[in-house]
Amino acid sequence: RLAKQGIARCLLLTRRIGKGGSIKNAIPYTRGDYIVLLDADIPLHPVTIYRAVLLARKLGIDLVIANRVYRTHTLLRRVLSTAYNTLVNLFFRTGLRDHQAGFKVLIRRAAQIILVRRTRTDGLAYDTEVIVWAKKHGLKYKAVNVVWREQRTGSTILPLRALLTMLADLVMLRLLTLARKYVALQKLAIGRVVELSNIHTIGQEFITVIRASGPKKHLLDILRKLYIAIAFRRR
């Protein structure tokens, strides 16, 4: 309904490729000076979004990141999250406590640099990769405390499986940041981007793959096979 009224633009990807891949494919069709990334269940108050955009404009910040000070998560998810964030800081020294929150505000220039050109991950580690590349490119980022109340119940994501796939993504990201001379990113078309208001194809859907040479190619192949084995294993 919103798409037909021209209030919102709704896109459909013909292939299911994960959270990160969906965002990367949607960015070229956005408008405006600021881009807001937010989980579909809208787990925070709308005023928080408004304040984050104002903060970015006032301070000239390239990327505003959510730091969830209250979360309706199970004890297991909180423990795994703490372990994951500790590991991210050991690898990349971002200085942040939360690398997984699904809320960010970026200026368009930062979105083009990070979301379109640099990010590889199509899955759950996408939020972390955005932060890592922002630091790598010298962009200004700031974390803001938010109250996070997830509206979803009965998540289909298994915490341990998600953690293992994200760890595999972290290792691949570490290799990318350390050895860009031997590693390149390539976009592969796998489907179509469809405008739902008129059911017309407006572009190609793509995934990002790593092209490597030397010893790192063999390591990346092992990590890729491990990732697939974990992510697509039956419950």
Side-chain angles (χ1 to χ4, degrees):
R1 181 185 300 177
L2 293 177
K4 290 182 178 180
Q5 294 175 353
I7 299 175
R9 192 173 192 186
C10 299
L11 306 178
L12 170 70
L13 304 181
T14 57
R15 293 282 299 274
R16 185 175 180 179
I17 54 175
K19 173 184 176 179
S22 299
I23 293 173
K24 284 188 290 185
N25 276 274
I27 291 300
Y29 306 100
T30 59
R31 297 185 292 267
D33 297 327
Y34 292 88
I35 295 175
V36 176
L37 306 181
L38 181 64
D39 285 351
D41 60 338
I42 312 180
L44 45 76
H45 197 283
V47 172
T48 303
I49 304 173
Y50 175 72
R51 289 175 178 171
V53 174
L54 286 183
L55 180 67
R57 292 185 61 182
K58 181 179 179 180
L59 301 182
I61 297 172
D62 300 309
L63 171 64
V64 177
I65 306 158
N67 177 51
R68 296 168 291 183
V69 295
Y70 175 80
R71 290 180 276 179
T72 53
H73 288 169
T74 63
L75 177 61
L76 175 61
R77 284 191 64 180
R78 291 198 296 269
V79 170
L80 293 177
S81 178
T82 300
Y84 176 80
N85 285 303
T86 300
L87 187 60
V88 173
N89 267 306
L90 287 175
F91 274 3
F92 306 106
R93 301 190 182 278
T94 63
L96 300 175
R97 296 170 55 190
D98 190 351
H99 301 84
Q100 302 160 278
F103 170 57
K104 294 174 180 62
V105 176
L106 304 92
I107 63 170
R108 178 160 295 280
R109 180 179 67 89
Q112 289 294 329
I113 293 174
I114 302 172
L115 304 183
V116 178
R117 302 175 191 169
R118 292 305 319 159
T119 52
R120 178 208 61 85
T121 307
D122 291 324
L124 296 173
Y126 183 79
D127 290 301
T128 302
E129 189 174 7
V130 169
I131 297 170
V132 170
W133 284 120
K135 182 177 185 293
K136 190 74 174 179
H137 284 275
L139 301 179
K140 294 175 61 177
Y141 60 86
K142 181 178 178 61
V144 294
N145 294 337
V146 301
V147 176
W148 196 266
R149 300 181 184 275
E150 291 188 354
Q151 306 301 319
R152 295 169 292 183
T153 58
S155 175
T156 59
I157 300 174
L158 298 179
L160 288 175
R161 184 183 300 181
L163 178 64
L164 290 174
T165 57
M166 291 169 75
L167 289 178
D169 275 328
L170 278 187
V171 175
M172 286 190 273
L173 179 57
R174 183 63 171 167
L175 291 175
L176 281 175
T177 57
L178 289 177
R180 291 170 61 184
K181 179 179 178 182
Y182 305 99
V183 179
L185 299 179
Q186 180 180 350
K187 293 181 180 179
L188 294 180
I190 61 168
R192 297 176 294 119
V193 180
V194 179
E195 180 88 58
L196 285 182
S197 61
N198 51 24
I199 317 298
H200 284 170
T201 298
I202 59 175
Q204 287 187 321
E205 179 184 355
F206 67 88
I207 59 172
T208 307
V209 296
I210 300 176
R211 299 299 184 193
S213 60
K216 292 182 176 58
K217 181 179 185 302
H218 302 293
L219 178 57
L220 288 170
D221 287 339
I222 294 173
L223 288 171
R224 188 179 298 112
K225 292 177 182 178
L226 175 63
Y227 182 95
I228 293 173
I230 297 171
F232 298 100
R233 180 184 176 186
R234 292 184 178 180
R235 297 184 184 183

